Amino acid sequence: MEAFETYQTPLASRYASKEMSYLFSSANRFKTWRELWLNLAIAEKQLGLPIGEEAIEQMRANLDLTPEQFDIAAKEEKKRRHDVMAHVHTFGQVAPAAAGIIHLGATSCYVTDNADLIFIRTGLTYLLKSLAVLISRLSGFAAQYRALPTLGFTHFQPAQLTTVGKRATLWIQELLWDLRNIKRARDDLGFRGVKGTTGTQASFLALFDGDHDKVEELDELVTKLCGFEYAYPVTSQTYSRKIDIDVLAPLASLGATAHKIATDLRLLANLKEVEEPFESTQIGSSAMAYKRNPMRSERVCSLSRHLMVLHQNALMTSSVQWFERTLDDSANRRVTLPEAFLTADIVLSTLRNVSEGLVVYPKVIARRISQELPFMATENLIMAIVKKGGDRQEAHEKIRVLSHEAAHQVKNLGLENDLIDRVRGDAYFDRIKGELDSLLDPQTFVGRAPEQVDKFIKDWIEPAMADEELKEALSKAGRVDLNV
C-alpha cells in the first residue's frame, strides 16, 4: 500500500521498458559506483599502490547492494548530507579489507560523472536498437503499400496524389537521420576518467610520488577497465556539461520526428484512411462508446514535446557552470538525464507498437481520391482533347464551366463530385470518352512514387540495417506489447 501513497513518475511506472528503467535505477547506479571503485583499486594496485588482494576480492564479491545496505546508505546520507560518502561508508562495511582504500585519490565526480557516462552510452545503445526495429517495421509497411495511391496534402488541403508507401518513406528518412545522429553521439562519447578534484590530478600525483607517467597510465587503465576507448583529455571537476547538450540534442530531434509521424497518423485516423491498432476490448471514450481515439499516437505527441524541451535544460545547465564547477547542475541532471532516456524509450516503443498494427483502409482512400481526382485530371482532359484535334482554349473554357458546376454540387449542396458525369454527358467530349477511365486511373497520377519507395529501401534503409549491431537487434526483436 505504501507504494500507492508516494508519487512515482509514470515514465517508469506506466510506460518505459524494464531495461531502460533498470539502467537509471538506484540499484544499477550504486552498483556502477562500486564497479568504478573496484576498477580504480585494481588499477592503483597494478601501478604499485599497497592494496591487498583481499580488498579487491571483497569489493568484487559485494557489487550488488542488499535492501539492508540501501537502508544503511540512506541513514548515512541523512547524517553526512553527502550521497557519495554515504556509499563509501556502506561499501566499506561489507568489504572491510577495502574500507581504507575505497575512493582513494578520487573526488565524488569520479563515480557520479563516470557512471552517468556509462548510463548514457548504454542508454543510447538501447535507443539505437529500438529505433532500428521501428525503421524496419515501417520499411515493411512502405514496401507493402508502395503503389497504393492516396491523396497528398499540402497545407492540409488536397494536392497531387502520392502513395501510402511513399508517405511512409518520408517518416523513415527522418528516423534514419535520427539513427545517424544518436549513433554519432554515442560513438563520440568519452570517459571522464581519473582527474581529481579540479581536474588537475593533483591527488593522484601525490599518491604516486610525483610520477606523471603513472598518473597518465592510471587514467588510461581505468578508462579501459570501464570499457571506454578514450578519456576526455582535460576536465574540470566534472566532464563538460556540453557533452549533455550533444547527447540530448539528437534525442530532442528524435522527439520532433516522432511528433510529426504521430501527428500524421492522428490526421489520417480522422480521415479514416489509416488507423493505429485498436484492441477489441479497448475503450475510446468513457462517454462516447463509438469512439476510436488514436491514443497511442497522442501519447507519442505528448511525450515527444517533453523530450524536445529537456534539451533546453542541458543548454542552460552548461551555460552556468562557473569555472571548475558549480553544484547547481546536480539536482537538474538527476531529473533531466533519466527522463530524457526514459521518454525517448517510451516514444520509440509506442511507435513500434503502432507500426506493428497499422490498419489501412483502401476503399476509404479510393473514395477520397474519387472526390478530388476529377478536378486534378482536368489538365489531362484538355491535353487529350487537343491531341484529338480540339482547340485548347475552347476545351479549357468547357472544363472550367463544368468544374464550377460540379464544385457547386459539392460545396453548396453537399453532393458527390459529378464532374466526370458532366463530361460524359457533354457531346463536346465525345472524341475522348473512350479514354476517360485511363485518363482518370489514380495509378497514372502518382509519378515515380512506387519506384522511389523501392530505391529508397534498397539504397538507404537496407545499408543502414546491415550494421552488425543493428542486424542482431532486428533478429531478436519481438512485438511490443504496451501495458496501458
Side-chain angles (χ1 to χ4, degrees):
M1 190 64 188
E2 184 179 349
F4 298 102
E5 296 173 344
T6 305
Y7 173 77
Q8 297 178 351
T9 172
L11 293 177
S13 63
R14 285 176 66 87
Y15 305 130
S17 67
K18 291 181 179 179
E19 294 80 8
M20 195 67 82
S21 294
Y22 174 74
L23 179 63
F24 290 95
S25 68
S26 294
N28 188 51
R29 178 172 298 279
F30 300 134
K31 178 182 179 179
T32 303
W33 285 10
R34 290 186 175 189
E35 289 172 343
L36 285 161
W37 282 319
L38 171 62
N39 287 337
L40 178 62
I42 290 172
E44 289 175 335
K45 173 180 170 59
Q46 185 173 322
L47 293 173
L49 292 187
I51 297 173
E53 190 60 33
E54 185 182 8
I56 300 294
E57 290 307 314
Q58 286 184 4
M59 294 171 76
R60 185 177 283 119
N62 289 281
L63 295 176
D64 292 295
L65 282 75
T66 64
E68 293 75 21
Q69 290 174 49
F70 274 106
D71 289 341
I72 293 170
K75 292 174 183 176
E76 287 293 328
E77 184 174 359
K78 185 175 182 180
K79 178 172 67 176
R80 302 172 188 274
R81 299 294 179 184
H82 199 290
D83 55 349
V84 173
M85 286 308 299
H87 279 273
V88 168
H89 176 85
T90 304
F91 197 15
Q93 286 195 12
V94 295
I101 56 93
I102 294 171
H103 201 65
L104 183 60
T107 188
S108 296
C109 287
Y110 167 70
V111 287
T112 58
D113 274 33
N114 282 324
D116 282 341
L117 290 166
I118 291 170
F119 302 150
I120 288 170
R121 185 180 62 174
T122 304
L124 291 174
T125 298
Y126 289 164
L127 295 179
L128 282 171
K129 293 179 179 181
S130 186
L131 179 51
V133 176
L134 173 60
I135 291 170
S136 177
R137 299 288 190 264
L138 288 175
S139 177
F141 178 83
Q144 181 179 356
Y145 295 102
R146 60 182 286 282
L148 180 61
T150 190
L151 193 63
F153 293 97
T154 57
H155 315 276
F156 202 27
Q157 301 299 314
Q160 287 188 348
L161 300 191
T162 182
T163 68
V164 173
K166 170 60 190 301
R167 179 176 282 149
T169 64
L170 301 179
W171 304 335
I172 299 168
Q173 179 169 249
E174 295 193 9
L175 292 171
L176 284 173
W177 291 334
D178 293 321
L179 187 80
R180 174 202 64 192
N181 295 341
I182 293 172
K183 187 175 189 302
R184 182 182 295 162
R186 184 197 64 176
D187 294 349
D188 283 351
L189 204 65
F191 201 53
R192 178 192 174 274
V194 177
K195 297 296 194 295
T197 307
T198 56
T200 66
Q201 298 177 311
S203 57
F204 296 104
L205 191 62
L207 279 175
F208 288 103
D209 299 322
D211 190 330
H212 291 268
D213 291 338
K214 281 195 173 182
V215 174
E216 289 188 9
E217 192 175 350
L218 177 70
D219 201 3
E220 293 172 3
L221 184 54
V222 171
T223 298
K224 292 292 190 294
L225 285 170
C226 293
F228 282 76
E229 291 299 317
Y230 81 102
Y232 296 116
V234 292
T235 73
S236 59
Q237 186 173 100
T238 69
Y239 70 78
S240 171
R241 297 312 182 214
K242 196 169 183 66
I243 300 301
D244 294 344
I245 296 174
D246 292 348
V247 168
L248 266 58
L251 301 192
S253 183
L254 170 65
T257 302
H259 199 291
K260 185 265 190 296
I261 295 171
T263 300
D264 283 356
L265 290 172
R266 291 166 67 188
L267 295 172
L268 289 168
N270 175 264
L271 298 173
K272 298 180 175 59
E273 293 188 3
V274 181
E275 286 183 343
E276 65 181 39
F278 194 93
E279 278 81 14
S280 60
T281 57
Q282 184 174 330
I283 296 174
S285 168
S286 61
M288 296 168 280
Y290 62 87
K291 294 200 76 178
R292 292 169 63 100
N293 298 329
M295 50 82 68
R296 301 169 210 212
S297 297
E298 290 174 312
R299 179 185 300 168
V300 169
C301 288
S302 180
L303 291 174
S304 291
R305 292 198 303 272
H306 182 58
L307 181 57
M308 286 186 276
V309 300
L310 287 173
H311 185 226
Q312 294 298 313
N313 268 345
L315 288 165
M316 290 185 283
T317 296
S318 178
S319 70
V320 297
Q321 289 303 288
W322 304 345
F323 302 115
E324 280 64 52
R325 83 95 37 109
T326 175
L327 196 60
D328 65 353
D329 65 332
S330 180
N332 186 296
R333 294 176 70 254
R334 287 175 192 255
V335 174
T336 298
L337 290 178
E339 285 202 356
F341 279 89
L342 276 104
T343 304
D345 173 63
I346 298 161
V347 164
L348 286 174
S349 63
T350 308
L351 278 178
R352 281 175 56 185
N353 175 268
V354 169
S355 70
E356 289 163 358
L358 282 172
V359 181
V360 177
Y361 296 102
K363 291 185 178 180
V364 176
I365 294 172
R367 183 174 182 273
R368 181 158 285 106
I369 289 174
S370 71
Q371 293 171 336
E372 301 292 341
L373 189 59
F375 293 135
M376 298 178 189
T378 53
E379 184 70 14
N380 290 16
L381 300 182
I382 293 171
M383 292 301 102
I385 287 287
V386 172
K387 287 179 180 179
K388 295 290 186 178
D391 179 272
R392 191 266 176 197
Q393 311 312 329
E394 185 179 1
H396 183 279
E397 180 60 18
K398 284 281 189 181
I399 289 290
R400 186 189 70 80
V401 172
L402 295 180
S403 295
H404 282 285
E405 290 174 355
H408 174 76
Q409 297 288 309
V410 173
K411 295 180 179 179
N412 296 95
L413 302 181
L415 301 176
E416 294 296 317
N417 187 338
D418 64 354
L419 175 58
I420 300 307
D421 291 336
R422 291 174 183 275
V423 169
R424 292 185 193 277
D426 193 317
Y428 178 79
F429 296 97
D430 284 350
R431 70 191 85 180
I432 66 166
K433 285 178 182 177
E435 302 175 32
L436 284 178
D437 287 343
S438 62
L439 289 171
L440 291 165
D441 181 0
Q443 292 288 349
T444 66
F445 287 83
V446 299
R448 296 191 61 254
E451 291 74 22
Q452 287 179 336
V453 172
D454 295 340
K455 185 172 177 59
F456 182 67
I457 291 173
K458 180 177 182 293
D459 292 352
W460 293 95
I461 299 177
E462 290 179 357
M465 297 298 101
D467 178 271
E468 288 301 321
E469 179 183 26
L470 301 184
K471 282 172 64 178
E472 182 182 4
L474 292 174
S475 70
K476 295 179 178 178
R479 294 176 65 87
V480 172
D481 293 320
L482 301 181
N483 294 324
V484 289

